[in-house]
Amino acid sequence: GFHAMGRSLLRGGLPILVVDEGERLDFVTTDQVADILAAMVHSRPPGRESWITAGEEAWSVGELIRVFAEESAAMGHPIDTPRLVSTDMLERLIRPVFFEELPKRVIRRFEQVMSLAPTFISPGVIASSIGDLEAHYGRSFAVDREAAVRASARFLRAGLETAGLVS
Protein backbone atom coordinates (compact mmCIF):
# COMPACT_ATOMS: atom_id res chain seq x y z
CA GLY A 1 0.00 0.00 0.00
CA PHE A 2 2.47 2.64 1.18
CA HIS A 3 5.14 1.76 -1.40
CA ALA A 4 2.60 1.43 -4.23
CA MET A 5 1.34 4.92 -3.46
CA GLY A 6 4.92 6.22 -3.21
CA ARG A 7 5.89 4.73 -6.57
CA SER A 8 2.78 6.20 -8.23
CA LEU A 9 3.57 9.58 -6.72
CA LEU A 10 7.19 9.46 -7.92
CA ARG A 11 6.13 8.38 -11.43
CA GLY A 12 3.67 11.26 -11.72
CA GLY A 13 0.84 8.74 -11.78
CA LEU A 14 -1.24 10.48 -9.13
CA PRO A 15 -2.55 13.73 -10.58
CA ILE A 16 -5.20 13.69 -7.87
CA LEU A 17 -5.50 11.98 -4.54
CA VAL A 18 -8.88 11.63 -2.89
CA VAL A 19 -8.01 12.58 0.67
CA ASP A 20 -8.10 15.59 2.93
CA GLU A 21 -4.63 17.09 3.45
CA GLY A 22 -5.03 16.63 7.20
CA GLU A 23 -5.84 12.94 7.01
CA ARG A 24 -3.17 10.82 8.57
CA LEU A 25 -0.85 8.17 7.24
CA ASP A 26 -0.38 5.66 9.99
CA PHE A 27 2.81 3.78 9.25
CA VAL A 28 5.54 2.21 11.32
CA THR A 29 8.91 1.01 10.10
CA THR A 30 9.75 -2.66 9.85
CA ASP A 31 12.69 -2.02 12.18
CA GLN A 32 10.35 -0.61 14.80
CA VAL A 33 7.94 -3.55 14.50
CA ALA A 34 10.83 -6.03 14.68
CA ASP A 35 12.24 -4.29 17.76
CA ILE A 36 8.88 -4.40 19.54
CA LEU A 37 8.22 -8.02 18.56
CA ALA A 38 11.68 -9.05 19.77
CA ALA A 39 10.93 -7.46 23.16
CA MET A 40 7.58 -9.29 23.28
CA VAL A 41 9.24 -12.63 22.53
CA HIS A 42 11.70 -12.17 25.41
CA SER A 43 9.09 -10.96 27.88
CA ARG A 44 5.31 -11.08 27.76
CA PRO A 45 3.62 -7.83 26.76
CA PRO A 46 1.49 -6.03 29.35
CA GLY A 47 -1.91 -6.96 27.86
CA ARG A 48 -3.71 -9.41 25.63
CA GLU A 49 -3.26 -7.25 22.55
CA SER A 50 -0.95 -4.46 21.47
CA TRP A 51 -1.52 -1.89 18.75
CA ILE A 52 1.72 -1.10 16.95
CA THR A 53 0.69 2.06 15.16
CA ALA A 54 2.11 5.55 14.81
CA GLY A 55 -0.71 6.96 16.93
CA GLU A 56 -0.22 10.68 17.60
CA GLU A 57 3.02 10.56 15.59
CA ALA A 58 1.20 9.69 12.34
CA TRP A 59 2.01 12.06 9.50
CA SER A 60 -0.49 14.02 7.47
CA VAL A 61 -0.86 13.14 3.79
CA GLY A 62 0.51 16.60 2.96
CA GLU A 63 3.70 15.92 4.95
CA LEU A 64 4.37 12.69 3.08
CA ILE A 65 3.82 14.30 -0.32
CA ARG A 66 6.13 17.18 0.62
CA VAL A 67 8.98 14.86 1.66
CA PHE A 68 8.63 12.65 -1.44
CA ALA A 69 8.66 15.76 -3.64
CA GLU A 70 11.74 17.14 -1.84
CA GLU A 71 13.65 13.87 -2.16
CA SER A 72 12.77 13.42 -5.83
CA ALA A 73 13.84 17.02 -6.56
CA ALA A 74 17.08 16.47 -4.64
CA MET A 75 17.76 13.51 -6.95
CA GLY A 76 17.31 15.83 -9.93
CA HIS A 77 13.76 14.78 -10.77
CA PRO A 78 11.13 17.26 -9.60
CA ILE A 79 7.61 15.83 -9.56
CA ASP A 80 4.19 17.33 -9.87
CA THR A 81 2.42 16.79 -6.58
CA PRO A 82 -1.14 15.51 -6.70
CA ARG A 83 -4.07 17.76 -6.09
CA LEU A 84 -5.90 16.65 -2.97
CA VAL A 85 -9.65 16.47 -3.56
CA SER A 86 -12.68 15.38 -1.60
CA THR A 87 -14.69 12.26 -2.40
CA ASP A 88 -17.59 14.57 -3.25
CA MET A 89 -15.50 16.39 -5.88
CA LEU A 90 -14.36 13.08 -7.35
CA GLU A 91 -17.88 11.68 -7.66
CA ARG A 92 -19.69 14.84 -8.74
CA LEU A 93 -17.14 16.46 -11.05
CA ILE A 94 -14.01 14.53 -11.89
CA ARG A 95 -15.39 11.03 -12.51
CA PRO A 96 -18.37 12.06 -14.70
CA VAL A 97 -16.50 14.71 -16.69
CA PHE A 98 -12.95 13.43 -17.07
CA PHE A 99 -12.83 9.66 -16.58
CA GLU A 100 -14.30 8.86 -20.01
CA GLU A 101 -11.36 10.67 -21.62
CA LEU A 102 -8.63 8.90 -19.64
CA PRO A 103 -6.89 5.74 -20.85
CA LYS A 104 -8.20 2.60 -19.13
CA ARG A 105 -4.76 1.85 -17.63
CA VAL A 106 -4.73 5.26 -15.90
CA ILE A 107 -8.19 4.70 -14.45
CA ARG A 108 -7.25 1.16 -13.37
CA ARG A 109 -4.06 2.38 -11.63
CA PHE A 110 -5.94 5.21 -9.93
CA GLU A 111 -8.58 2.76 -8.66
CA GLN A 112 -5.85 0.39 -7.38
CA VAL A 113 -4.08 3.11 -5.43
CA MET A 114 -7.34 4.45 -4.02
CA SER A 115 -8.44 0.97 -2.94
CA LEU A 116 -5.24 0.63 -0.90
CA ALA A 117 -5.51 4.04 0.76
CA PRO A 118 -7.84 2.97 3.60
CA THR A 119 -5.23 0.49 4.82
CA PHE A 120 -2.90 3.29 5.92
CA ILE A 121 -4.79 6.61 5.61
CA SER A 122 -7.25 7.55 8.34
CA PRO A 123 -9.20 10.69 9.21
CA GLY A 124 -7.99 10.61 12.80
CA VAL A 125 -5.49 9.12 15.17
CA ILE A 126 -5.41 5.33 15.47
CA ALA A 127 -4.80 4.15 19.02
CA SER A 128 -1.26 2.98 19.75
CA SER A 129 0.17 0.78 22.49
CA ILE A 130 3.75 1.86 21.88
CA GLY A 131 3.80 4.22 24.89
CA ASP A 132 2.50 1.45 27.16
CA LEU A 133 5.04 -0.98 25.71
CA GLU A 134 7.87 1.50 26.28
CA ALA A 135 6.80 1.91 29.92
CA HIS A 136 6.44 -1.87 30.37
CA TYR A 137 9.81 -2.71 28.84
CA GLY A 138 11.59 0.34 30.25
CA ARG A 139 12.97 1.45 26.90
CA SER A 140 12.16 3.54 23.86
CA PHE A 141 10.95 2.11 20.57
CA ALA A 142 11.11 5.51 18.85
CA VAL A 143 12.24 5.82 15.24
CA ASP A 144 13.15 8.76 13.06
CA ARG A 145 10.09 8.70 10.79
CA GLU A 146 11.32 11.51 8.58
CA ALA A 147 14.63 9.77 7.91
CA ALA A 148 12.74 6.54 7.15
CA VAL A 149 10.38 8.29 4.72
CA ARG A 150 13.25 10.08 3.00
CA ALA A 151 15.15 6.80 2.65
CA SER A 152 12.02 5.11 1.27
CA ALA A 153 11.52 7.87 -1.28
CA ARG A 154 15.13 7.58 -2.47
CA PHE A 155 14.91 3.78 -2.58
CA LEU A 156 11.65 3.79 -4.54
CA ARG A 157 12.93 6.44 -6.98
CA ALA A 158 16.15 4.49 -7.58
CA GLY A 159 14.13 1.32 -8.17
CA LEU A 160 11.92 3.08 -10.72
CA GLU A 161 15.01 4.40 -12.52
CA THR A 162 16.67 0.98 -12.56
CA ALA A 163 13.50 -0.57 -14.00
CA GLY A 164 13.37 2.15 -16.65
CA LEU A 165 9.98 3.36 -15.46
CA VAL A 166 11.17 6.95 -14.99
CA SER A 167 14.02 8.90 -16.51
Side-chain angles (χ1 to χ4, degrees):
F2 178 84
H3 286 155
M5 187 177 102
R7 280 189 294 274
S8 291
L9 178 63
L10 292 168
R11 288 178 71 184
L14 284 178
I16 63 168
L17 195 53
V18 185
V19 296
D20 177 64
E21 184 174 354
E23 286 188 295
R24 300 210 179 200
L25 286 151
D26 196 295
F27 64 91
V28 291
T29 67
T30 54
D31 289 345
Q32 186 178 31
V33 173
D35 197 19
I36 292 169
L37 291 177
M40 290 175 156
V41 166
H42 292 292
S43 174
R44 291 184 78 104
R48 285 184 50 108
E49 61 185 40
S50 297
W51 289 77
I52 304 174
T53 70
E56 293 288 339
E57 309 262 328
W59 279 25
S60 72
V61 172
E63 288 173 302
L64 179 84
I65 291 170
R66 175 188 55 79
V67 169
F68 266 65
E70 287 174 1
E71 286 302 316
S72 192
M75 294 176 77
H77 304 284
I79 59 171
D80 292 327
T81 58
R83 178 171 180 185
L84 305 181
V85 300
S86 67
T87 303
D88 186 55
M89 181 182 278
L90 173 71
E91 297 303 332
R92 293 180 62 187
L93 175 65
I94 297 169
R95 194 179 296 274
V97 175
F98 299 106
F99 267 43
E100 285 185 17
E101 304 301 320
L102 294 172
K104 295 280 187 230
R105 65 177 175 72
V106 171
I107 294 170
R108 196 169 39 253
R109 185 65 185 148
F110 173 79
E111 297 291 350
Q112 286 173 337
V113 169
M114 292 314 303
S115 72
L116 294 171
T119 63
F120 56 90
I121 297 176
S122 67
V125 174
I126 298 173
S128 178
S129 303
I130 293 177
D132 294 337
L133 294 169
E134 288 175 334
H136 177 74
Y137 293 113
R139 58 179 290 230
S140 173
F141 295 110
V143 296
D144 185 342
R145 269 186 192 33
E146 183 160 348
V149 170
R150 289 185 182 282
S152 291
R154 289 188 303 272
F155 172 79
L156 293 173
R157 178 71 202 194
L160 291 169
E161 288 174 9
T162 300
L165 298 173
V166 294
S167 53

